[in-house]
Amino acid sequence: MSPRIPADCVLPDPAAVHTVRSADGAELNVEEYGPEGAPLIVLAHGWTCATTFWAPVINRLVADHRVVAYDQRGHGRSPLPADGAGYGTGKLAEDLEAVLVATVPAGRRAVVAGHSMGGMTIMAAGGRPEVAARTAANVLINTGAGDLVDELLVLPPFVRGRALRRFLSRPVLQSRLSLGPVNGISRAALKYATMGPATPADRVEACAQVVHACPAKARHGWAVVLDVLDVYAGLARITAPTAVVTSTNDKLTPPVHSHRILAALADARGLLELPGAGHMSPVERPAEVAEEIRRVAALVADELSAAAVGGAAASDIPSQSVAAVEETA
C-alpha cells in the first residue's frame, strides 16, 4: 500500500488561476495563493515537477504573502512544446518574464525563488530589463549554472572519470520511456537519487506522485537542455540581492554548484546549507526553505510593500475560473 502524502503537500485553494501566454505563444498555467496586496513571492519549480511540488512551502507562506506559482512549459497544466524549438534556456527566461509581467503590478516587485531548473530559469533571465524591474530579490534553491552531468553524484564513487560518468548518466536522464505508476521500486530509486536517507516515506510518496506525472516527452526534452546547460552569463547579470540554498546530500546539484553561484553573484545574501537533505528540499525541509524565503523578503520589505501604480497586472490574457481549470484536470 502506498503511503498517504502529508497534509502540507496538498495545495490550498487558489485565489486566482490564469493562463499566461509567453513570447512564442506558449501557454503557462499560473496560480496565485494568499491575500491580494500582500508581499509577493513568485515560485519556479524544477525539472519533472509542477506547481504541486511547492505545496509545503506555499502552505507556510500563504497566510501573509501573495504567492504566485506556475507550471513550466510541458509540466503540470502547461501544454507540451509543439516541437524541439520550444525547449531551451531562452524559453525558460521568456516564460518567467511573461509570468512576472502578468502577475506583478506596476510599481511593485517580488521575491523570485527557483528550485533546480527553476533556479536555472532565474539565472537564464539575468539581465532582462522586465525581469529586473519586477524582482526585489531571488532565492536559488538546489540548483546549478552549468556542468550538471559532470558533477552528478548519483553513480557510485567507484565509477570514476567524467567521460564515463556522462556516458552512463545520459541514457537514464534522457530516457523517453514513461515512468509508469508509482511503486516500491520507483519510490526507492527516487529517494536514493533525489532525497536524503532520513526522508519519511510519505514525503517520498508526495515527490514520486509529482515526478511520475511529468510527461515523458517533457522529461526528455528538458533533460537534453540541462545536459548542456550554461547560464553563467545570466548569473553574472543578476543585480538583485540573492540568497542560495543547498543540501549536503544533494546528488543532482551538489553543494559545489551553490558555492560557484555564490561566488559569481553581484549581491550575495547568504548560503543556507541543509544537513542531511537531498535535492528536493522544498518537500524534505519546507519549514527551513520557507523561512529562508521569508528572511530574504524581510531584507527587501520596502520594495515588496510599495503601492501598486496603474492598478491591475499587465497580462492581456483573462483569468480563467478556478472551476474551469479543475474540470480539465
Side-chain angles (χ1 to χ4, degrees):
M1 180 181 294
S2 299
R4 299 182 67 176
I5 69 171
D8 71 324
C9 291
V10 178
L11 284 167
D13 292 334
V17 178
H18 309 272
T19 296
V20 171
R21 197 176 298 277
S22 192
D24 66 351
E27 294 183 344
L28 305 170
N29 177 62
V30 181
E31 302 178 11
E32 300 187 38
Y33 301 86
E36 189 173 4
L40 276 163
I41 309 291
V42 176
L43 303 175
H45 69 74
W47 178 56
T48 75
C49 292
T51 294
T52 310
F53 176 81
W54 285 112
V57 172
I58 292 173
N59 280 310
R60 287 167 169 81
L61 295 174
V62 73
D64 52 358
H65 290 83
R66 182 73 163 191
V67 183
V68 176
Y70 70 101
D71 290 323
Q72 301 264 26
R73 58 174 67 196
H75 296 74
R77 289 173 171 154
S78 294
L80 285 161
D83 52 39
Y87 296 90
T89 55
K91 299 301 182 184
L92 294 175
E94 289 173 0
D95 293 352
L96 175 60
E97 181 174 333
V99 171
L100 291 176
V101 169
T103 61
V104 181
R108 294 189 61 191
R109 294 186 176 187
V111 171
V112 185
H115 170 257
S116 191
M117 192 173 81
M120 298 161 199
T121 299
I122 294 170
M123 290 183 275
R128 286 179 172 248
E130 294 287 355
V131 173
R134 291 167 172 79
T135 301
N138 300 297
V139 184
L140 303 175
I141 305 165
N142 296 97
T143 191
D147 308 301
L148 299 182
V149 178
D150 289 345
E151 301 289 358
L152 283 173
L153 299 178
V154 176
L155 294 172
F158 61 78
V159 181
R160 302 185 183 277
R162 289 192 172 185
L164 178 59
R165 297 175 75 85
R166 291 179 70 86
F167 175 77
L168 295 175
S169 298
R170 275 176 168 158
V172 176
L173 296 175
Q174 297 184 23
S175 171
R176 298 176 183 270
L177 299 177
S178 169
L179 295 181
V182 178
N183 56 40
I185 294 174
S186 67
R187 279 193 295 269
L190 182 76
K191 180 178 180 179
Y192 168 77
T194 71
M195 308 181 86
T199 305
D202 55 355
R203 293 197 172 269
V204 177
E205 175 69 16
C207 269
Q209 288 187 15
V210 173
V211 171
H212 278 243
C214 180
K217 187 174 180 179
R219 191 178 72 247
H220 168 78
W222 287 114
V224 172
V225 173
L226 298 180
D227 182 54
V228 294
L229 180 86
D230 182 350
V231 290
Y232 285 106
L235 169 61
R237 290 192 289 265
I238 292 175
T239 57
T242 301
V244 180
V245 178
T246 189
S247 308
T248 61
N249 245 37
D250 188 344
K251 296 185 179 74
L252 297 185
T253 52
V256 62
H257 289 290
S258 295
H259 290 285
R260 289 174 187 159
I261 290 170
L262 204 67
L265 286 167
D267 189 358
R269 295 301 181 99
L271 173 67
L272 173 64
E273 188 171 77
L274 301 174
H279 185 67
M280 303 299 207
S281 65
V283 173
E284 296 175 78
R285 305 280 277 275
E288 289 151 286
V289 172
E291 185 56 36
E292 182 65 0
I293 294 173
R294 283 183 177 277
R295 182 187 73 83
V296 172
L299 295 176
V300 291
D302 290 345
E303 294 182 66
L304 296 182
S305 61
V309 177
S315 174
D316 59 356
I317 304 297
S319 298
Q320 295 178 309
S321 71
V322 174
V325 172
E326 290 178 343
E327 288 171 2
T328 61

